[in-house]
Amino acid sequence: MTAWIAENDTGTNARHQAPPGSKRIFEAGSPTMMVNFKELPDKDTPHKNKSNSVSISGIRIDQGPFNTTMISCIQERKVCRYDDIGDFLESRSAKSFSSGGNDGDSSGSSISNMLPGALVHKPMTCIPPHRRIPHQKANDWPYILEQRNAQPEDGSMTALMDYNAMLIPLYKNVKVIDDAGGSTSTKIMSDLDPSLLDHLTGKYHSYFSDEEVNRVKYLSISRTSNLHACKPRFEFHFGTLAQDFIGISLLDDHLQRIEGTDIAINFDKWVVGNMTAIFHDFRVVAAKSTRGKDLKDQLFLTTSGHLGTYLFPMDIRRMPPVSAESVQKPWNTKLKGAAVPRSSEFQYGSGMEVRFVDDPGRFADKRVYSRGDLLFKDRGLDRGKNFHFFESSEGKTYMEMWPHGYNDPGQRKRPFNSHVAVPVDFFSSSFEPLSPMNAFPGRREKFVKGKRKQVEFLDEIRSLNGDPTPKRSFDNEVPKHLRPNMKFRGTSQIIDMTLNGAPFKVGISHSVAEGWIDKETNERHTDHRTYLSQFYAFSPDPPFEVVAITGHFCFNHMLETDDGYSAQWVSERAMTNRTAPIMVHDEEIRCPLITFASGMTEMIGRDGNNVIITYGVDDCYSRSIIVPKKKIELLLLGQVQDGATAVS
C-alpha cells in the first residue's frame, strides 16, 4: 500500500479552512476531500539488514536504525487482538532496555544508556506508612476494605494509592543542521524559561550542587487517592470521604525518582476547605505567558471532578531540607498566592514548595456543598474533562476538546466526529488571588434548565473530515460504548511525530465499553467499563485534520521483570489473581480492566526516537513503557514499509 500526501485546495462547509499546502496522510482509496496528490518520499524507510545494537545481560538496546518489525495480524490483514498490540508496543520478544536498578529511589549510579523497557512507578515515600497497604496484607481482602473505611469521617486515615502519572520533560531533543557539512545532529535543549527551569531543578538555590541540578530531567505529576480498584472492588461511596492528592516529584534520565523530591498535596483542603471532595484527576502543562517570548515561563494545573474541570496557574520549586534553610528566597514570578506549607496538614513531604494562586480560607464561611460551584465562577474551565494543550506549528497554544468521534446530534449542521480544539490565551502580566482567569476568549457560560450553568466555546475549531472519519489502520472488534454520544475521549499528552516524512501531532484516546451480561443465563460476555485505547494523528495547523486512527488496543499488567515491580504491594498477590484476564465479546484478554494512558512524551536523548507512555492500571499503580516512535508510526499507517518483517 502506498501512503500519499495531499494539498488541500478547499475547506467548504467549515468555519476554519485548512491553510494552503496543508498535508494529510490517508489510505489509498479511502474517502477524502483532498486533491493534488503527491507520493511521499521514502527518506525515512529503514535500511535493510542493518542494525547497530549492544547487549547488556542478554537484553538488546537498539541504538541505530530501527529494526522494523510489523505485527503479523496487520501485515496479513487479519483481526488484531487488543493485547497483541500491547505486546507489540513493548517488544516483548526483544526486551529492549534494562536499568539494573533496585526498588528504592535512584542513587544516580545506574550505567549510562541503560533504561527500563517497562517501569512500575514506586510508591511515593512522602506518604506515611499508616496510609499504605503493607506487602504482607496484599491478600487480606477484609483488611483492604477496612482501610478504605478507616475513621475519622474525613478519610485522613484511609489507605492511599498512586496512579495516573504523567511526565513532563524539562528538556527537548532538537535537530540541528551543521552549516558547514550539512549533517544533522540532535542536541538536548530546554524550551522552558531559565527561571522556571532553575526553580524545578534547584539551580536557583545554592544548597544544590551542579550534579544534583543536572540530574533532574522530568517532572512527574500523579494522583494519590483512597479511591482505587486494586481489588477487592467496592462501591464508590463509603462512610469516609474520598481523598485525592496531587503527587509531585522529580525524576532522573532513568525515570527513577530523585530522593527527597516527592510531595503530595490535599488540593481540596487547601483551595476549598475541609470535608470536600471536588478534585480527582490532575494534569500540569508548561506554557508561554509572556508575549514576545518563545520560552515557556508558567505552569498551569487542570484538575477535574464531578463538577467539571478547573484551571489554576501554579508555581513549583525544589527545596532543600528544612534544617538546611537559612533564608527564605523570594519567588520572583508572576503568581502572587501563598505557598502551601511543607510537611503540614495540607502537604505530605517537604522537598518541593508549591503555590496555586488562590490562598486557603476563601470559602470558610460558605456551605460545603456550594464551594465547588462558587470556585467554578473564577477557575472553571468546562463541565467535561480530559483536555490537553498543544502548540501549532506556528507556536500558538490550543486546547484539544475532543480527539475524534464527537457526536453532536443536536446540531447536525456541524461536522460529526470531528477533532475539536479551541485557542488559548495564557498571556498575563500577573496572576492574582481572586482574579478570574481569562484564558479562553471565546468561552461563555449559558443557562440550561435543570442543570448547573454549562460552558460553550464560540471559537471552536472543528476538523473538516468529521464525517466520515479516517478508516482505522487495522481491524478488531469494536465493543458497544458505554456512552454512545461521547465515544472517544482524550487521554494522554500530545506529541510531535513524523509520519512518512511529514510532521503531525499524535495522541492516545480511550473509549469505555458497556458491560454485556445475558439476562437469562447471567453469562458474562463483556466486562463493564473496559478501557480500550487508540492512537490518532492530526495536522499541526488549523483545522487540525485527523489523518490517521488505529484500531483498539490495551496495555499490559506490570510484569515481574519490570523495574520497581517488587516495590508495589500488589506484587505479593498470586499472578492468577493479579493478572486475571478480562472479557470482551466472549474473548479473554490479557489486560487490566482499566488502563488509562495519562501521559505520553518524547524521551530525552537517543536522538528523540523513543516515546514514554505512562498509564494508570486499575486505579492502583502507574506503569511506564518506552516505545520506539517507529512502532507507533507503523500502527498509524497500518502498512509494512520496505524492509519490514512480520512478528507473531
Side-chain angles (χ1 to χ4, degrees):
M1 189 191 308
T2 301
W4 301 76
I5 57 174
E7 296 180 358
N8 190 341
D9 286 349
T10 180
T12 57
N13 300 321
R15 186 178 301 168
H16 294 266
Q17 289 194 344
S22 65
K23 300 177 180 180
R24 140 176 209 194
I25 292 181
F26 67 99
E27 180 183 344
S30 63
T32 178
M33 294 185 293
M34 308 293 187
V35 294
N36 297 340
F37 305 112
K38 300 178 183 178
E39 188 168 1
L40 283 169
D42 291 329
K43 63 180 181 180
D44 285 341
T45 301
H47 298 286
K48 297 181 181 179
N49 303 320
K50 186 175 181 180
S51 67
N52 177 20
S53 64
V54 297
S55 293
I56 300 176
S57 302
I59 300 172
R60 191 187 72 192
I61 300 179
D62 287 319
Q63 294 180 321
F66 181 70
N67 182 20
T68 314
T69 55
M70 171 58 79
I71 189 168
S72 59
C73 65
I74 297 179
Q75 185 189 44
E76 299 169 8
R77 306 197 184 285
K78 296 180 180 179
V79 173
C80 293
R81 285 176 56 95
Y82 310 129
D83 44 16
D84 282 348
I85 300 298
D87 289 346
F88 171 73
L89 289 171
E90 290 193 44
S91 298
R92 300 286 287 279
S93 60
K95 294 290 173 74
S96 51
F97 300 105
S98 175
S99 71
N102 53 41
D103 286 339
D105 282 338
S106 169
S107 63
S109 61
S110 300
I111 300 174
S112 178
N113 290 329
M114 297 178 68
L115 292 163
L119 174 144
V120 180
H121 292 244
K122 304 172 185 69
M124 292 199 301
T125 57
C126 66
I127 304 298
H130 71 269
R131 302 210 65 179
R132 295 297 196 189
I133 301 294
H135 279 54
Q136 66 269 25
K137 293 290 188 180
N139 296 295
D140 189 342
W141 288 20
Y143 172 84
I144 296 170
L145 287 173
E146 179 184 329
Q147 295 312 298
R148 174 59 187 91
N149 201 27
Q151 296 298 309
E153 186 182 356
D154 66 357
S156 59
M157 294 296 289
T158 53
L160 298 172
M161 315 297 158
D162 310 325
Y163 55 92
N164 288 2
M166 64 175 292
L167 307 184
I168 302 170
L170 305 189
Y171 302 91
K172 294 182 65 176
N173 305 298
V174 180
K175 299 290 185 183
V176 178
I177 300 177
D178 186 352
D179 292 336
S183 60
T184 302
S185 61
T186 301
K187 290 190 176 182
I188 297 176
M189 307 170 69
S190 183
D191 62 349
L192 302 181
D193 181 84
S195 177
L196 174 56
L197 181 64
D198 291 351
H199 274 114
L200 293 173
T201 62
K203 186 177 181 179
Y204 78 99
H205 203 291
S206 60
Y207 174 84
F208 299 104
S209 67
D210 289 344
E211 182 180 0
E212 290 174 308
V213 167
N214 294 333
R215 190 175 159 201
V216 181
K217 295 297 187 293
Y218 299 90
L219 173 67
S220 173
I221 305 295
S222 60
R223 174 182 179 181
T224 295
S225 178
N226 61 5
L227 299 176
H228 67 87
C230 299
K231 294 182 181 178
R233 299 295 299 276
F234 45 73
E235 296 298 326
F236 183 89
H237 297 289
F238 255 66
T240 52
L241 188 72
Q243 275 204 342
D244 286 278
F245 296 71
I246 174 174
I248 304 173
S249 60
L250 301 175
L251 307 183
D252 64 15
D253 57 352
H254 303 286
L255 309 187
Q256 301 295 311
R257 184 180 304 120
I258 297 174
E259 58 276 5
T261 65
D262 60 319
I263 63 170
I265 297 174
N266 188 330
F267 193 66
D268 271 283
K269 192 170 187 177
W270 175 255
V271 175
V272 187
N274 289 324
M275 297 304 295
T276 58
I278 297 171
F279 311 110
H280 301 310
D281 296 311
F282 305 96
R283 298 171 185 265
V284 171
V285 62
K288 302 169 187 174
S289 70
T290 304
R291 297 188 188 277
K293 291 185 66 173
D294 292 331
L295 297 176
K296 300 172 181 177
D297 58 356
Q298 184 65 54
L299 297 176
F300 294 89
L301 167 73
T302 57
T303 175
S304 58
H306 65 284
L307 295 179
T309 297
Y310 298 74
L311 176 68
F312 296 84
M314 69 181 301
D315 284 341
I316 303 175
R317 67 179 178 181
R318 187 180 183 183
M319 294 293 287
V322 176
S323 59
E325 265 191 283
S326 57
V327 179
Q328 178 72 19
K329 288 185 174 293
W331 283 87
N332 295 324
T333 67
K334 294 181 178 182
L335 199 147
K336 306 303 178 185
V340 180
R342 296 184 288 157
S343 298
S344 65
E345 61 177 310
F346 305 104
Q347 175 176 316
Y348 289 127
S350 61
M352 308 282 278
E353 191 173 53
V354 182
R355 303 194 295 179
F356 295 109
V357 78
D358 288 324
D359 298 332
R362 177 179 177 184
F363 303 107
D365 60 340
K366 307 298 182 182
R367 294 183 179 181
V368 171
Y369 70 84
S370 67
R371 294 174 183 174
D373 289 312
L374 293 172
L375 182 64
F376 198 84
K377 293 180 180 179
D378 294 339
R379 302 286 175 253
L381 192 160
D382 189 77
R383 293 299 184 185
K385 61 178 183 177
N386 299 331
F387 306 125
H388 308 95
F389 297 94
F390 66 93
E391 287 188 352
S392 68
S393 62
E394 296 180 347
K396 296 180 179 179
T397 303
Y398 295 86
M399 184 177 74
E400 181 186 73
M401 302 286 290
W402 292 97
H404 58 90
Y406 175 59
N407 287 339
D408 194 358
Q411 302 186 52
R412 295 189 179 276
K413 62 184 179 181
R414 296 197 286 182
F416 287 5
N417 298 321
S418 298
H419 180 276
V420 182
V422 295
V424 184
D425 182 2
F426 280 135
F427 298 117
S428 178
S429 59
S430 65
F431 299 101
E432 307 277 352
L434 307 181
S435 297
M437 285 286 295
N438 297 309
F440 301 92
R443 179 188 181 277
R444 74 173 187 183
E445 295 186 356
K446 63 178 182 179
F447 176 78
V448 177
K449 187 176 181 180
K451 294 184 178 181
R452 287 182 166 91
K453 282 188 176 180
Q454 298 299 296
V455 175
E456 66 176 351
F457 294 88
L458 303 181
D459 49 2
E460 278 186 354
I461 301 173
R462 292 173 176 256
S463 61
L464 309 181
N465 62 349
D467 192 7
T469 53
K471 181 180 178 182
R472 289 183 296 135
S473 60
F474 58 83
D475 293 326
N476 50 25
E477 294 286 342
V478 180
K480 183 178 180 181
H481 292 279
L482 183 63
R483 301 176 69 182
N485 286 336
M486 289 185 282
K487 295 179 182 179
F488 308 100
R489 294 177 280 185
T491 311
S492 72
Q493 297 149 285
I494 295 169
I495 63 171
D496 293 306
M497 274 189 58
T498 298
L499 303 182
N500 259 1
F504 291 96
K505 302 286 183 179
V506 173
I508 301 175
S509 64
H510 75 278
S511 54
V512 182
E514 183 180 62
W516 175 22
I517 297 178
D518 191 299
K519 294 182 179 180
E520 295 184 0
T521 64
N522 204 34
E523 184 178 0
R524 177 172 56 103
H525 299 281
T526 298
D527 284 322
H528 186 57
R529 293 192 63 82
T530 297
Y531 277 62
L532 297 172
S533 299
Q534 294 173 273
F535 288 109
Y536 63 98
F538 62 94
S539 169
D541 294 295
F544 306 118
E545 289 287 334
V546 176
V547 299
I549 303 173
T550 69
H552 294 81
F553 64 91
C554 58
F555 296 100
N556 284 305
H557 293 273
M558 67 178 183
L559 306 175
E560 293 182 4
T561 54
D562 289 352
D563 186 80
Y565 167 84
S566 61
Q568 287 289 342
W569 63 272
V570 291
S571 67
E572 294 295 320
R573 288 185 170 165
M575 181 175 290
T576 53
N577 172 275
R578 182 176 52 79
T579 64
I582 58 175
M583 184 76 73
V584 180
H585 283 298
D586 295 316
E587 187 171 20
E588 288 191 346
I589 306 298
R590 296 174 282 103
C591 287
L593 184 70
I594 303 172
T595 52
F596 186 83
S598 45
M600 181 169 66
T601 188
E602 182 176 287
M603 188 175 190
I604 299 171
R606 287 163 181 76
D607 292 328
N609 292 327
N610 298 308
V611 169
I612 305 170
I613 298 176
T614 304
Y615 59 96
V617 178
D618 285 338
D619 291 350
C620 186
Y621 61 87
S622 292
R623 186 172 187 255
S624 287
I625 58 175
I626 298 172
V627 181
K629 284 184 177 179
K630 202 66 178 181
K631 288 201 169 188
I632 299 174
E633 181 182 10
L634 290 172
L635 291 179
L636 282 165
L637 297 181
Q639 64 185 36
V640 181
Q641 298 183 4
D642 292 341
T645 56
V647 294
S648 300

